[in-house]
């Protein structure tokens, strides 16, 4: 575990509201309990519950959204999530979140994202590098950055993906794509389609996603997370997204197509097991994809919801699939090629990994 903690790592599938610390959720629930918005005793029980089915996860997200809906809280959770990732040596993270409107709080999708970006700015345990045009700064150093007082701090590269929730309409999804285009200069690098896989239709999102593609925004799709979505999985594969999340329930022919396409797959081991989308770690498709050298990235999905961390996911992969330090290191390093950030960032990441290459015994 210590080795997994120390290694530089790349996180490409992390939902902001799924990665909130339990301690923060409890604190927020207390405040909302005092205001009569929630009943603290009920909520405390739900937050501390460990095993959640997929359906329960989405109920939990609804609860989290009740607790986190104001600008200050969005800023706070973003700061804490980045600090937690940096603390376990994640050197690059693509944090995804669904821009939300909330008239009661005067929140628009844009102001929600501004609150997220304020969160990135407010991190002070590490140097957060998220503005792509800031090339000189990103170029000047890799692992460390000096502030104006000459104090040296570790650096984490952060990029943002805007999520479209499967409950949204075509028009709402289009607003999110437009917003992503407007916020490119503030670190937004792509679009994610996520949300409860039991609701919504692929057709609703096709037009906004085609528009995003046309504008050169990379796309990652949650694909095949639940059974009996043969047509949707097929349409998603034919769409040729830049990455795919989960990829669990595929037909034989679809596995072949995935492998031929070489579309990188974001693998979330604990999430898949906890939600019972995969029956046991021994049946996880990681093994097949890894053996066939398909591009894969180990990710957490929701560190808060599933009480995990990227280091734990690495350790789990090591113990379940017999990977040694060199294999884990190489798996992490390969992820560089699948990030949505530009070549300047990729070059810095390659240098970070090269300087951390394990010594052969
Ligand atoms: C599908 C998921 C997910 O966007 O409010 N989300 N969507 N499958 C999953 N597997 C368990 N985990 C999280 O973060 C929470 C949102 O991320 C999506 C859901 O839409 C959830 O509401 P944000 O920051």
């Amino acid at each position: 575990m210590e080795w997994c903690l120390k290694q530089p790592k790349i996180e490409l599938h992390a939902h902001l509201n799924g990665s909130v610390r339990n301690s923060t959720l409890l604190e927020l629930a207390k405040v909302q309990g005092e205001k009569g918005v929630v009943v603290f005793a009920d909520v405390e029980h739900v937050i501390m519950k460990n095993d959640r089915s997929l359906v329960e996860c989405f109920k939990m997200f609804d609860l989290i959204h009740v607790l986190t809906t104001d600008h200050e809280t969005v800023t706070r959770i973003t700061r804490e999530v980045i600090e937690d990732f940096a603390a376990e040596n994640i050197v690059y993270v693509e944090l995804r979140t669904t821009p939300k409107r909330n008239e009661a709080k005067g929140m628009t999708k844009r102001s929600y994202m501004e609150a997220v970006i304020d969160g990135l700015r407010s991190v002070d345990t590490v140097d957060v590098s998220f503005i792509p045009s800031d090339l000189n700064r990103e170029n000047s150093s890799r692992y460390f950055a000096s502030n104006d007082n000459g104090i040296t701090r570790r650096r984490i590269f952060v990029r943002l993906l805007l999520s479209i929730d499967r409950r949204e309409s075509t028009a709402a999804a289009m607003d999110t794509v437009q917003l992503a285009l407007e916020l490119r200069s503030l670190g937004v690098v792509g679009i994610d389609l996520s949300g409860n896989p039991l609701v919504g239709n692929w057709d609703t999102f096709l037009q906004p996603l085609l528009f995003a593609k046309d504008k050169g925004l990379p796309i990652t799709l949650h694909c095949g997370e639940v059974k009996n979505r043969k047509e949707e999985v097929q349409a998603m594969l034919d769409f040729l997204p830049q990455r795919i999340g989960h990829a669990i329930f595929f037909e034989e022919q679809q596995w072949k197509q995935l492998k031929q396409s070489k579309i990188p797959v974001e693998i979330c081991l604990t999430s898949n097991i906890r939600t019972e989308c995969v029956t046991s770690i021994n049946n996880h498709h990681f093994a097949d994809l890894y053996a066939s050298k398909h591009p894969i990235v180990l990710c957490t999905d929701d560190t808060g919801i599933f009480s995990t961390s990227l280091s734990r996911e690495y350790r789990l992969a090591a113990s379940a699939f017999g990977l040694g330090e060199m294999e884990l290191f190489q798996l992490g390093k390969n992820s560089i090629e699948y990030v949505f950030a530009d070549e300047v960032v990729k070059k810095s990441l390659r240098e970070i990994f090269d300087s951390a290459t394990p010594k052969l015994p």
Side-chain angles (χ1 to χ4, degrees):
M1 185 61 187
E2 206 185 307
W3 187 88
C4 295
L5 259 173
K6 250 183 24 211
Q7 277 308 298
K9 291 173 287 297
I10 290 180
E11 168 64 88
L12 299 186
H13 188 133
H15 298 271
L16 171 60
N17 277 277
S19 308
V20 184
R21 297 173 187 163
N22 275 353
S23 57
T24 298
L25 288 179
L26 288 173
E27 201 184 310
L28 296 170
K30 247 183 208 143
V31 175
Q32 295 304 324
E34 278 156 19
K35 290 185 188 161
V37 177
V38 297
V39 177
F40 180 72
D42 297 351
V43 171
E44 183 184 28
H45 173 75
V46 176
I47 292 172
M48 297 317 286
K49 191 168 190 276
N50 226 338
D51 283 339
R52 293 187 180 93
S53 67
L54 198 62
V55 172
E56 282 174 328
C57 279
F58 286 95
K59 283 197 186 132
M60 179 69 184
F61 287 127
D62 287 342
L63 170 63
I64 295 175
H65 290 147
V66 168
L67 301 178
T68 60
T69 38
D70 64 65
H71 293 103
E72 298 77 56
T73 308
V74 172
T75 298
R76 172 187 174 173
I77 61 170
T78 306
R79 178 176 60 247
E80 291 179 353
V81 166
I82 297 300
E83 287 179 355
D84 290 349
F85 284 146
E88 58 157 342
N89 259 309
I90 290 177
V91 291
Y92 175 95
V93 50
E94 275 171 27
L95 185 64
R96 55 185 78 188
T97 192
T98 320
K100 296 167 187 73
R101 285 183 55 210
N102 183 344
E103 272 172 34
K105 305 273 177 194
M107 184 183 276
T108 60
K109 284 191 172 188
R110 176 176 258 276
S111 72
Y112 174 91
M113 284 313 303
E114 285 165 354
V116 170
I117 291 164
D118 282 349
L120 301 183
R121 290 205 171 99
S122 70
V123 171
D124 61 16
T125 55
V126 283
D127 180 76
V128 176
S129 186
F130 67 96
I131 298 184
S133 57
D134 198 2
L135 297 183
N136 286 332
R137 233 177 113 240
E138 288 196 337
N139 234 348
S140 62
S141 163
R142 279 147 258 133
Y143 232 157
F144 298 99
S146 298
N147 69 8
D148 296 341
N149 306 323
I151 296 169
T152 302
R153 295 185 304 172
R154 277 230 323 278
R155 162 168 291 172
I156 182 168
F157 291 96
V158 180
R159 292 295 184 269
L160 300 169
L161 304 180
L162 300 201
S163 301
I164 296 170
D165 187 316
R166 294 179 63 107
R167 287 177 292 196
E168 289 186 290
S169 65
T170 304
M174 191 59 106
D175 287 346
T176 297
V177 174
Q178 287 286 8
L179 184 60
L181 292 169
E182 286 163 29
L183 295 180
R184 274 179 138 172
S185 61
L186 289 170
V188 173
V189 289
I191 294 287
D192 155 57
L193 176 65
S194 55
N196 189 339
L198 299 168
V199 306
N201 261 313
W202 167 250
D203 286 349
T204 310
F205 312 108
L206 183 57
Q207 189 203 344
L209 290 173
L210 281 172
F211 177 67
K213 198 180 211 186
D214 190 50
K215 295 286 178 190
L217 265 181
I219 293 162
T220 175
L221 303 173
H222 281 61
C223 179
E225 212 178 348
V226 288
K227 270 188 199 148
N228 303 326
R229 289 289 154 127
K230 185 178 167 195
E231 277 82 31
E232 179 173 287
V233 168
Q234 191 57 49
M236 287 181 169
L237 282 172
D238 293 343
F239 179 82
L240 287 178
Q242 274 68 23
R243 294 198 309 253
I244 277 180
H246 300 299
I248 303 168
F249 294 100
F250 280 29
E251 306 265 312
E252 201 54 46
Q253 179 53 36
Q254 292 171 334
W255 280 118
K256 277 195 192 135
Q257 188 175 342
L258 174 74
K259 287 183 182 171
Q260 272 163 8
S261 72
K262 301 256 180 274
I263 298 172
V265 179
E266 303 151 1
I267 298 275
C268 309
L269 297 171
T270 301
S271 161
N272 296 161
I273 305 296
R274 288 278 179 90
T275 55
E276 295 175 354
C277 294
V278 173
T279 48
S280 90
I281 191 79
N282 300 325
N283 296 332
H284 200 285
H285 48 297
F286 174 97
D288 176 23
L289 292 175
Y290 185 77
S292 53
K293 297 194 170 21
H294 189 83
I296 43 180
V297 191
L298 279 179
C299 304
T300 54
D301 209 2
D302 300 290
T303 51
I305 295 265
F306 301 117
S307 310
T308 190
S309 66
L310 194 52
S311 311
R312 288 208 189 99
E313 297 301 301
Y314 271 68
R315 190 182 56 174
L316 181 57
S319 62
F321 309 111
L323 306 189
E325 286 181 6
M326 202 42 142
E327 284 130 337
L328 280 183
F329 173 80
Q330 198 55 48
L331 188 66
K333 188 176 171 192
N334 292 347
S335 314
I336 300 171
E337 308 314 317
Y338 321 134
V339 308
F340 290 168
D342 55 38
E343 267 309 312
V344 177
V345 175
K346 287 188 184 176
K347 185 166 166 275
S348 291
L349 293 175
R350 285 187 201 110
E351 289 171 7
I352 290 170
F353 275 81
D354 285 346
S355 65
T357 309
K359 309 242 173 329
L360 284 172

